Amino acid sequence: MALFGKLRWISRRFTTLAATPLRICVVGSGPAGFYTAEKILKAHKGVEVDIVDRLPTPFGLVRSGVAPDHPETKIVINQFSRVAQNDRCSFLGNVSVGSSVSLPELHEMYNAVVLAYGAESDRTLGIPGEELGGIYAAREFVWWYNGHPDCRNLAPDLTSSDTAVILGQGNVALDVARILLRPTMELAKTDIASHALAALEESSIRKVYLVGRRGPVQAACTAKELREVLGIKDISIQVKQADLVTTPADEVEMKNNRIRRRVYELISKAASSGHSPPLPGQRELHLVFFRKPDRFLESEDRSGHVAGVRLEETTLQGYDLGKQIAVGNGVFEDISCGMVLKSIGYKSVAIDGLPFDHDKGIVPNVGGRVLADSFKDVPQYETGLYVCGWLKRGPTGIIGTNLYCAEETVASISEDIERGVLTSNSTKPGREGLLQLLDSRNIRVVQFDDWKRIDTEEKRGGNLKNKPREKLATWEELLQVARK
Amino acid sequence: MFLTKFSGLAAHAIKDLVKAPSFTWRTSYVPVIQNNYAQALRRKSFCTTADKVSEEGREEKQKVSVTFVDKDGEEIHVKVPFGMSMLEAAHENDIELEGACEGSLACSTCHVIVMDVDYYNKLEDPADEENDMLDLAFGLTDTSRLGCQIIAKPEIDGIRLALPVATRNFAVDGYKPKPH
Ligand SMILES: Cc1cc2nc3c(=O)[nH]c(=O)nc-3n(C[C@H](O)[C@H](O)[C@H](O)COP(=O)(O)OP(=O)(O)OC[C@H]3O[C@@H](n4cnc5c(N)ncnc54)[C@H](O)[C@@H]3O)c2cc1C
Ligand SMILES: NC(=O)c1ccc[n+]([C@@H]2O[C@H](COP(=O)([O-])OP(=O)(O)OC[C@H]3O[C@@H](n4cnc5c(N)ncnc54)[C@H](OP(=O)(O)O)[C@@H]3O)[C@@H](O)[C@H]2O)c1
Ligand code: FES
């Protein structure tokens, strides 16, 4: 009986699917968006997926985050391109949800919407002086060297002093440190944006401080990135021996976490092998631990510009849930510098009509289903609204993390299709409707073939300069080439 | 199954073949490989020239049996030519093993679990670079390896590799799912 019911259900599903496909829109073409699209297309033969992105270029942080000297990491673009070229999938670039089209409009036009638009803002420190010139979010600096059109004109100040301070010790902090310290001859062979390469060639920065509020056992980076920055050619690594002393709580942390143990070992090894003082002119990387930023100091000769950072010494307290917390002990010290990069984490941006948890900076959800009201005991879901990636989990995790994250979200979608929560009974205009609406608003959509023109042009430009690609880094250039 | 036919030729004979690269009959497997992994494979492969001598049956001796255990626990038995990586073997046989960086040791999505410690011990120790990526693998175990770094060779004939089940656990990088 149950089996019969199931069969009948399946045949019904097939007929309806054949008539009108279920139409799903994925917002954001980063790893979360592409993995979601790939898994949906694979699991449901009758479903159509459109991936919209506010940029004319796909791939999210794989293009605009992953460091230019990590070409192997970007190989995943091949896989994503195959997804975009699936007959049942399309990429619609230059479409910003929240301005080109509102979320309620999108939701109305598709059977389901999966939000995977990442995290395009920054955590802030909330300390005095944060607004001074010369202080940037690492995100902006990364967008600048990776040719994101929104930061083409950042013009970071690389020449007013020989010192840069990076706050935070995650992998992004290590990426930006490496870009500041690596010989530009080596960067010239990468797909780094040419405006950034030119500025880095003129850079006077020789000394970079990587400042963590906790110890070497808690440094948020991973071994691969650390190994790379420690291995920069002709660099002097400076670590205070006293910072390497571990407590029993540290030992427990290392025992329970392979990453923490291996990172600590690398730091201690670097400290013991390279503690001779730097040679004149040698580039220096200082790993500073147990210091939290207290305030930024304004320059006396250049009003409105940063001249240094005041740090407060910390000690670690508490061992609740495995997290030791840095607590200031009232001892301060200043580091003079002309540039500060805050690398303390990204933050997602809310869009109108979408439930948003402003504390955590994520869309409240259970297993990727968007919660209508996260305070109710019995969860109430927004029908047909899902979330994936950094917007769902917060701004941590590598590309592969989004694969598992997408599996979870797609499992929720599949369940809702099976339970009849998502059906194509009500025919939705989908892509056609969206394209019409955008056309009426004079928004020129960049489809995957248009992107391929950008891609070809960038590779051609790169070829001339012996680099993998020469990124087009302004909106005008990108849209112009896409339109040809 | 395939191997029984040639069981008279024991593993040591295969080993001899490996040690003696001047041996005249080489398989046709090298030219077959044209995809993205070919480069990585060539680097690792002990058999570098691609003589197109194809002798029926003899090819089989230059393959190892590998069993993949997929996410549903289903076993898939495949034959893998010497020198081919397990990532490539999985893809040639439509086994769902991810390989985001196509074998360039930059992603950890090709994580597999060697199901038998004896076989795990037969593999060369992972290099620092592999360990760096394994750090980030989901559901890491004591016998975890990266599929793109395990290369078919006589010693691993009969190896069983499990694809890790997505644990819904994003514990890597400090994220811990909170009870809701
Ligand atoms: C600097 C940096 C370097 C990194 N390097 C690595 C690395 O080397 N290896 C690794 O494994 N991981 C790396 N990561 C992590 C990895 O990039 C992330 O895990 C992953 O990109 C997150 O995927 P996502 O799809 O959630 O977000 P994203 O990749 O950010 O994608 C979001 C997409 O949404 C689009 N979007 C935003 N707002 C809107 C809107 N309103 N309407 C439409 N579209 C919108 C954006 O343009 C973007 O394309 C790095 C991260 C950073 C920040
Ligand atoms: N190659 C790669 O694989 C690669 C490259 C780049 C990025 N990524 C990934 O992308 C994700 C994001 O990286 P991320 O570096 O932005 O984040 P992250 O790993 O979370 O690191 C954030 C850093 O900022 C510090 N911090 C946070 N708030 C602070 C405050 N108020 N004051 C002082 N310090 C503060 C943290 O210290 P505490 O630990 O004390 O909080 C930590 O050191 C990570 O998962 C990372 O692994 C990967
Ligand atoms: S495929 Fe990326 S590490 Fe093996």
Side-chain angles (χ1 to χ4, degrees):
Chain A
M1 189 55 204
L3 179 71
F4 179 67
K6 181 141 188 157
L7 281 178
R8 209 174 43 191
W9 175 80
I10 288 174
S11 65
R12 196 173 50 212
R13 185 167 145 232
F14 265 102
T15 39
T16 47
L17 283 189
T20 41
L22 200 70
R23 298 192 161 111
I24 299 183
C25 182
V26 174
V27 181
S29 68
F34 267 109
Y35 279 129
T36 301
E38 183 179 40
K39 307 268 161 213
I40 295 176
L41 291 166
K42 206 168 211 169
H44 303 280
K45 294 292 172 236
V47 173
E48 286 178 6
V49 180
D50 294 340
I51 307 175
V52 303
D53 201 289
R54 74 179 187 90
L55 293 181
T57 54
F59 314 129
L61 285 168
V62 181
R63 177 176 162 102
S64 66
V66 172
D69 54 352
H70 284 172
E72 321 79 34
T73 308
K74 304 188 199 200
I75 290 175
V76 70
I77 283 175
N78 296 342
Q79 184 178 346
F80 294 161
S81 299
R82 286 193 294 272
V83 175
Q85 292 175 93
N86 182 309
D87 288 343
R88 292 181 287 125
C89 185
S90 41
F91 169 76
L92 308 174
N94 197 31
V95 179
S96 179
V97 175
S99 57
S100 319
V101 53
S102 73
L103 180 61
E105 284 170 335
L106 207 59
H107 202 177
E108 193 51 46
M109 280 186 286
Y110 286 86
N111 298 103
V113 176
V114 185
L115 298 151
Y117 63 80
E120 301 212 316
S121 176
D122 318 283
R123 266 184 217 145
T124 53
L125 289 162
I127 59 173
E130 206 164 346
E131 68 299 330
L132 289 172
I135 303 174
Y136 312 92
R139 177 186 56 82
E140 300 171 298
F141 187 70
V142 170
W143 273 4
W144 171 74
Y145 66 63
N146 276 332
H148 190 295
D150 284 357
C151 280
R152 169 65 185 84
N153 299 319
L154 185 73
D157 181 0
L158 302 171
T159 49
S160 72
S161 107
D162 68 349
T163 305
V165 169
I166 299 169
L167 300 171
Q169 294 181 326
N171 281 336
V172 172
L174 266 56
D175 271 353
V176 297
R178 203 172 67 252
I179 296 298
L180 285 173
L181 289 169
R182 233 188 132 157
T184 46
M185 290 254 284
E186 293 176 13
L187 292 177
K189 295 179 211 139
T190 71
D191 67 3
I192 191 167
S194 54
H195 59 259
L197 182 65
L200 287 162
E201 279 165 346
E202 299 301 314
S203 163
S204 58
I205 289 168
R206 295 280 169 276
K207 229 188 270 184
V208 172
Y209 290 84
L210 260 173
V211 182
R213 59 180 168 180
R214 301 192 284 154
V217 174
Q218 293 79 26
C221 57
T222 56
K224 180 174 184 268
E225 290 266 335
L226 183 60
R227 206 185 291 283
E228 263 183 290
V229 78
L230 296 175
I232 292 174
K233 210 169 148 218
D234 299 330
I235 196 179
S236 161
I237 307 287
Q238 302 289 322
V239 185
K240 278 195 204 138
Q241 287 292 334
D243 288 346
L244 296 170
V245 177
T246 57
T247 63
D250 289 338
E251 295 297 330
V252 174
E253 246 181 272
M254 284 196 278
K255 194 165 155 271
N256 294 337
N257 188 325
R258 168 183 156 127
I259 304 182
R260 302 280 65 87
R261 183 173 67 245
R262 296 184 75 240
V263 163
Y264 176 79
E265 282 165 7
L266 276 175
I267 296 172
S268 343
K269 213 168 115 197
S272 61
S273 59
H275 61 162
S276 51
L279 304 168
Q282 191 179 15
R283 294 189 171 200
E284 301 164 29
L285 175 65
H286 297 251
L287 300 180
V288 179
F289 298 100
F290 303 110
R291 298 288 185 280
K292 72 184 182 97
D294 177 67
R295 64 183 56 239
F296 295 102
L297 310 168
E298 186 173 348
S299 164
E300 281 173 9
D301 350 304
R302 232 178 125 193
S303 130
H305 202 273
V306 72
V309 190
R310 178 156 301 161
L311 301 172
E312 183 178 13
E313 222 177 86
T314 66
T315 44
L316 298 190
Q317 285 182 10
Y319 193 60
D320 196 21
L321 292 168
K323 179 140 175 152
Q324 301 190 72
I325 294 162
V327 180
N329 65 7
V331 180
F332 297 90
E333 74 185 16
D334 296 346
I335 302 180
S336 310
C337 62
M339 169 157 112
V340 177
L341 295 172
K342 292 183 291 175
S343 184
I344 58 167
Y346 284 49
K347 201 173 165 198
S348 293
V349 187
I351 55 178
D352 278 347
L354 179 65
F356 198 81
D357 179 334
H358 288 272
D359 283 345
K360 294 188 192 139
I362 58 166
V363 172
N365 70 92
V366 176
R369 287 188 185 94
V370 175
L371 280 171
D373 187 346
S374 44
F375 299 105
K376 291 228 174 84
D377 284 345
V378 183
Q380 294 279 314
Y381 300 111
E382 296 276 353
T383 310
L385 214 51
Y386 305 86
V387 60
C388 189
W390 277 18
L391 183 62
K392 167 184 167 190
R393 316 185 312 271
T396 59
I398 56 170
I399 293 168
T401 318
N402 302 292
L403 166 75
Y404 300 98
C405 190
E407 275 179 1
E408 187 188 55
T409 297
V410 174
S412 297
I413 295 174
S414 298
E415 225 176 86
D416 289 351
I417 292 178
E418 261 159 51
R419 290 201 326 226
V421 179
L422 282 184
T423 65
S424 52
N425 288 349
S426 56
T427 309
K428 297 286 187 175
R431 187 179 315 158
E432 294 307 312
L434 177 59
L435 288 174
Q436 258 174 35
L437 179 82
L438 293 167
D439 191 54
S440 75
R441 291 180 183 167
N442 276 327
I443 290 159
R444 170 64 208 247
V445 177
V446 174
Q447 305 218 19
F448 204 74
D449 281 342
D450 305 324
W451 147 249
K452 282 201 277 189
R453 263 192 295 281
I454 297 176
D455 188 39
T456 307
E457 174 61 19
E458 290 189 341
K459 284 180 174 155
R460 194 190 60 79
N463 217 356
L464 302 173
K465 290 193 176 172
N466 219 0
K467 53 196 278 194
R469 70 171 66 234
E470 179 70 56
K471 282 187 181 170
L472 302 180
T474 62
W475 283 95
E476 295 73 33
E477 283 172 296
L478 284 164
L479 292 176
Q480 195 197 344
V481 173
R483 241 169 240 157
K484 264 181 198 158
Chain B
M1 265 275 273
F2 277 117
L3 268 185
T4 48
K5 202 168 152 197
F6 306 97
S7 54
L9 273 166
H12 67 260
I14 299 172
K15 266 188 192 151
D16 286 346
L17 165 71
V18 175
K19 281 187 206 138
S22 59
F23 204 87
T24 44
W25 47 269
R26 294 233 168 88
T27 68
S28 58
Y29 73 80
V30 176
V32 169
I33 296 151
Q34 297 151 335
N35 59 27
N36 291 322
Y37 310 114
Q39 218 185 341
L41 199 138
R42 250 176 252 125
R43 238 182 285 131
K44 293 264 177 185
S45 173
F46 38 74
C47 187
T48 47
T49 34
D51 302 354
K52 287 189 190 172
V53 185
S54 164
E55 279 192 46
E56 266 303 302
R58 293 203 164 171
E59 276 174 45
E60 290 305 329
K61 279 175 301 202
Q62 302 211 345
K63 290 186 177 178
V64 293
S65 305
V66 174
T67 303
F68 286 95
V69 181
D70 75 10
K71 292 180 189 191
D72 306 321
E74 195 189 320
E75 298 198 351
I76 306 143
H77 304 278
V78 301
K79 295 282 172 185
V80 184
F82 293 176
M84 184 185 272
S85 77
M86 296 303 126
L87 172 65
E88 196 188 7
H91 285 191
E92 296 227 325
N93 292 284
D94 288 329
I95 293 163
E96 283 191 45
L97 181 60
E98 292 281 337
C101 76
E102 298 179 358
S104 36
L105 213 45
C107 77
S108 82
T109 57
C110 62
H111 172 205
V112 293
I113 298 162
V114 182
M115 295 181 77
D116 181 343
V117 186
D118 289 341
Y119 277 99
Y120 178 81
N121 291 333
K122 285 182 196 177
L123 301 170
E124 279 163 38
D125 286 343
D128 281 346
E129 291 73 21
E130 184 178 347
N131 272 323
D132 287 354
M133 292 324 303
L134 279 171
D135 277 355
L136 308 175
F138 294 89
L140 188 74
T141 70
D142 288 342
T143 60
S144 286
R145 291 299 298 256
L146 293 180
C148 66
Q149 301 302 306
I150 304 179
I151 308 297
K153 57 180 180 173
E155 295 89 313
I156 69 165
D157 188 36
I159 197 168
R160 288 157 55 82
L161 303 172
L163 309 193
V165 180
T167 50
R168 310 263 173 274
N169 170 5
F170 304 108
V172 168
D173 261 353
Y175 177 87
K176 300 215 175 49
K178 293 192 181 65
H180 39 263

